[in-house]
Amino acid sequence: MVPIEYYLWLSATLFSIGVLGVLYRRNAIVIFMCIELMLNAVNLVMVAFSNYLNDPAGQVFVFFIMAVAAAEVAVGLAILVMTFRNTKSTDINMLNRLKW
Amino acid sequence: MITNLFYFLSFVAVLSALMVVFSRNPVYSVLYLIITFFAIAGHYVLMQAEFLAVVHVIVYAGAIMVLFLYVIMLLNLNRESEPHKSNILKFAAAICSGLLLVVLVGSLRGTELLKHSEAGEVSSTMGGVKNLGKVLFTDFLFPFEIASVLLLAAMVGVVMLAKAEKKTNL
């Protein structure tokens, strides 16, 4: 059986790659995908601990996170389509006029 | 055997996650993200969470990624015309995420190991449909019903948001 620490390192790495993508790219769709990557890193460590402690509650939490992620992606992409209609671009820097 | 499989799946997941960030074309990013999700589903199978592995493949690779691909095709973004951030911002992004990784690993390294489960042996049927369904419909029945309301609200919101506004378009 793989030690629990290895899963911790793996999911920390995946989470950091997700943060890197959010900071690195300007395309809003790629930023959404990197947020999905971060959610999956958290899911992975939840399943690892659920398996380690022999407690099915962790896997049920992952199930709920998947439902919330699906709703989040649907609403986010709809907002993206709306902004694309207005600005003709998915560049995240075009949205800085939301400040005013 | 299982350790080698773990290393292989981790390597695939991290490499394709890096390719999601660094590939120029958003369509390639989606395809690499699907590879990452399959690798994570393989990890779930290794951890005897078969039900979650199947649900993960169906929901993420089957539904969410198809949604992303549809939006990319709808907006006609399958070209490499994205403006890029300046080099100093890219460098700062790499430094920030590297520091986050250092903080996460450093804070988790010193922790004391949790006690392994009292039952000792990990039961192989814990992640099965029967056991998870029993837990989901007894202990977590109320959150389960709330999740259905959440999905309904998301569906109504998406239809309202993405509906074409006829007055402004005409």
Side-chain angles (χ1 to χ4, degrees):
Chain A
M1 194 178 153
V2 183
I4 185 96
E5 295 96 340
Y6 290 8
Y7 283 107
L8 282 178
W9 310 148
L10 172 63
S11 88
T13 310
L14 284 178
F15 192 87
S16 303
I17 292 173
V19 172
L20 172 68
V22 170
L23 295 175
Y24 191 87
R25 298 295 296 259
R26 279 173 65 178
N27 192 338
I29 291 184
V30 180
I31 289 176
F32 260 119
M33 286 193 260
C34 292
I35 292 173
E36 291 301 308
L37 200 59
M38 287 193 268
L39 282 170
N40 270 283
V42 176
N43 280 354
L44 187 64
V45 85
M46 271 194 163
V47 174
F49 270 108
S50 150
N51 192 31
Y52 185 73
L53 299 174
N54 211 356
D55 184 1
Q59 300 193 10
V60 177
F61 286 158
V62 171
F63 194 70
F64 286 128
I65 290 176
M66 279 181 193
V68 173
E72 172 247 335
V73 164
V75 175
L77 285 177
I79 292 174
L80 210 63
V81 171
M82 277 268 295
T83 55
F84 186 82
R85 271 194 211 134
N86 289 326
T87 63
K88 300 294 171 212
S89 142
T90 56
D91 189 355
I92 205 79
N93 283 16
M94 296 291 281
L95 293 177
N96 62 359
R97 70 187 64 161
L98 286 179
K99 279 190 293 193
W100 303 105
Chain B
M1 177 61 196
I2 285 186
T3 314
N4 285 337
L5 212 54
F6 171 81
Y7 283 132
F8 173 71
L9 286 174
S10 308
F11 180 73
V12 170
V14 170
L15 195 71
S16 50
L18 282 174
M19 291 304 290
V20 171
V21 177
F22 292 118
S23 62
R24 305 260 161 174
N25 194 331
V27 177
Y28 290 155
S29 288
V30 171
L31 296 180
Y32 280 118
L33 195 58
I34 291 175
I35 296 176
T36 311
F37 285 160
F38 271 104
I40 290 175
H43 278 299
Y44 289 168
V45 172
L46 276 190
M47 289 186 280
Q48 286 142 5
E50 295 89 4
F51 174 67
L52 271 188
V54 172
V55 169
H56 187 267
V57 168
I58 291 173
V59 171
Y60 275 105
I64 292 183
M65 287 298 112
V66 170
L67 201 60
F68 271 109
L69 272 181
Y70 261 108
V71 170
I72 287 173
M73 287 195 295
L74 201 67
L75 305 185
N76 201 11
L77 289 177
N78 52 352
R79 56 185 188 275
E80 299 161 7
S81 62
E82 177 195 348
H84 280 269
K85 286 187 174 174
S86 61
N87 275 332
I88 186 153
L89 278 179
K90 286 182 178 179
F91 189 66
I95 291 290
C96 283
S97 58
L99 282 179
L100 178 70
L101 180 61
V102 168
V103 166
L104 280 176
V105 170
S107 63
L108 292 172
R109 254 185 91 85
T111 51
E112 218 170 295
L113 266 184
L114 286 164
K115 281 267 175 62
H116 208 284
S117 58
E118 286 83 14
E121 283 291 302
V122 174
S123 60
S124 56
T125 58
M126 202 261 289
V129 181
K130 189 177 173 188
N131 194 7
L132 272 191
K134 207 195 286 174
V135 174
L136 191 61
F137 286 107
T138 52
D139 297 343
F140 293 93
L141 183 61
F142 186 61
F144 183 77
E145 299 293 338
I146 295 292
S148 70
V149 178
L150 173 77
L151 287 177
L152 177 69
M155 195 177 74
V156 174
V158 166
V159 172
M160 284 300 291
L161 274 176
K163 195 176 60 177
E165 295 176 29
K166 284 185 181 146
K167 278 178 189 168
T168 52
N169 282 352
L170 279 176

